[in-house]
């Protein structure tokens, strides 16, 4: 799964990074992050502040859509992407349009973005993409809200914690997938996840040796990666040997 689009070769969470992930057949799914603009529009962006990945400064939540659209979200990565805009969730849904599964991470923290869940779900429903999207969050209350509004859209709980806590929280929100931090994954954790019967997503794996370590635990997992090409190059090399 391409993390923030194919963010190793194009600026993260932009239409360019998502287009590249769509075009590459070896990429199975795409992950993006969303927040709300000051005027309440779901927009695709990772950090809470604008400074690292745009020519703007300050908190995203204090800017309107028009202000955010005027920023350059590409030059920081490479001049060839100069003028790249921050996309809205609606633009990404129109682009992806069910071609690949889209994992939409709600960057919700408590009540930081009031209405983020409902607005996201309304857009997914407007485009009829309920079966092609999964709602992700670290914030399990946010996923509880999603479950109440849209039980039909799958949920992915992002976790760093223990398998015991995990099973409890996964069952509480009837998650179809869990997304685990790669460094915390060991055989015990994998066995517990397999017993729980949920799809297993592992983030963020760019190092082929790390992918081999996790694969050796013997479960089917979906790796989230900034550089998925580094993982399949290794796979090809192993097959040749
Ligand atoms: O999907 C989980 C992963 O994307 C969480 O980390 O910081 O890249 O959103 P982050
Ligand atoms: Ca994310």
């Amino acid at each position: 799964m391409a993390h923030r689009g194919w963010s190793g070769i194009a600026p993260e969470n932009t239409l360019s990074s998502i287009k590249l992930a769509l075009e590459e057949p070896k990429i199975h799914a795409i992950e993006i992050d969303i927040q709300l603009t000051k005027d309440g529009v779901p927009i695709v962006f990772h950090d809470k502040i604008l400074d690292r990945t745009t020519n703007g400064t300050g908190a995203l939540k204090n800017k309107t859509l028009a202000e955010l659209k005027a920023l350059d979200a590409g030059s920081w990565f490479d001049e060839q992407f100069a003028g790249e805009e921050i996309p809205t969730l609606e633009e990404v849904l129109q682009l992806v349009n069910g071609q690949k599964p889209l994992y939409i991470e709600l960057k919700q923290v408590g009540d930081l973005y009031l209405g983020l869940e409902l607005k996201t779900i309304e857009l997914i429903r407007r485009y009829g993409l309920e079966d092609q999207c999964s709602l992700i969050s670290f914030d399990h209350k946010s996923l509880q809200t999603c479950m109440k509004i849209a039980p039909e859209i799958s949920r992915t709980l992002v976790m760093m914690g223990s398998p015991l806590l995990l099973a409890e929280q996964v069952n509480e929100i009837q998650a179809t997938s869990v997304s685990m931090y790669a460094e915390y994954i060991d055989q015990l954790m994998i066995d517990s996840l397999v017993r729980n019967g949920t799809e297993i997503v592992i983030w963020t794996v760019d190092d082929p040796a790390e992918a081999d370590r996790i694969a050796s635990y013997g479960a089917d997992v979906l790796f989230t990666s900034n550089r998925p090409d580094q993982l399949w190059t290794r796979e090809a090399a192993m097959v040749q040997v």
Side-chain angles (χ1 to χ4, degrees):
M1 171 152 59
H3 183 234
R4 310 181 193 171
W6 193 346
S7 60
I9 62 168
E12 64 184 54
N13 283 323
T14 61
L15 293 183
S16 289
S17 69
I18 294 164
K19 273 184 199 146
L20 287 164
L22 283 173
E23 285 163 9
E24 173 49 65
K26 293 196 187 83
I27 294 178
H28 168 76
I30 298 169
E31 189 257 7
I32 57 169
D33 304 289
I34 58 163
Q35 306 181 52
L36 271 192
T37 66
K38 186 178 177 186
D39 42 348
V41 179
I43 196 154
V44 181
F45 201 78
H46 179 269
D47 296 1
K48 297 287 185 299
I49 60 164
L50 298 162
D51 305 50
R52 181 178 64 89
T53 59
T54 75
N55 58 345
T57 56
L60 177 143
K61 71 182 177 63
N62 296 330
K63 307 279 187 198
T64 63
L65 178 62
E67 287 170 329
L68 292 166
K69 278 291 187 185
L71 299 177
D72 176 353
S75 293
W76 71 275
F77 187 86
D78 190 292
E79 269 313 305
Q80 77 177 102
F81 297 102
E84 180 96 34
E85 291 179 8
I86 305 174
T88 60
L89 174 60
E90 183 162 15
E91 288 170 327
V92 171
L93 292 178
Q94 286 171 344
L95 173 65
V96 176
N97 194 26
Q99 295 176 72
K100 293 192 180 183
L102 183 64
Y103 287 68
I104 302 172
E105 184 178 348
L106 303 158
K107 284 292 183 197
Q108 183 67 286
V109 188
D111 290 333
L112 182 64
Y113 295 119
L114 280 177
L116 178 62
E117 294 82 3
L118 180 60
K119 287 177 178 191
T120 300
I121 287 164
E122 281 173 348
L123 279 170
I124 293 171
R125 283 180 172 157
R126 189 180 310 158
Y127 287 92
L129 295 171
E130 295 93 326
D131 292 343
Q132 287 83 33
C133 293
S134 189
L135 298 164
I136 318 183
S137 191
F138 277 99
D139 185 327
H140 91 280
K141 284 211 163 54
S142 178
L143 290 185
Q144 272 178 336
T145 305
C146 293
M147 182 172 69
K148 283 187 197 134
I149 304 171
E152 78 279 15
I153 302 177
S154 79
R155 292 167 292 282
T156 301
L157 183 63
V158 190
M159 290 221 48
M160 298 177 88
S162 79
L164 285 176
L165 188 65
L166 175 88
E168 206 176 285
Q169 295 200 351
V170 163
N171 293 339
E172 194 185 335
I173 59 151
Q174 296 166 29
T176 48
S177 321
V178 287
S179 182
M180 303 294 301
Y181 184 50
E183 282 184 29
Y184 288 10
I185 288 289
D186 56 18
Q187 187 74 59
L188 181 71
M189 181 77 87
I190 284 285
D191 291 346
S192 151
L193 293 168
V194 169
R195 268 199 303 278
N196 212 52
T198 47
E199 177 193 51
I200 305 169
V201 180
I202 313 277
W203 55 280
T204 304
V205 181
D206 292 335
D207 176 4
E210 181 79 329
D212 289 347
R213 177 182 70 81
I214 295 168
S216 77
Y217 301 140
D220 279 337
V221 301
L222 180 59
F223 289 120
T224 306
S225 182
N226 303 312
R227 290 297 308 266
D229 49 311
Q230 293 183 167
L231 305 186
W232 71 66
T233 302
R234 168 68 161 230
E235 187 188 354
M238 286 169 69
V239 168
Q240 277 171 17
V241 169

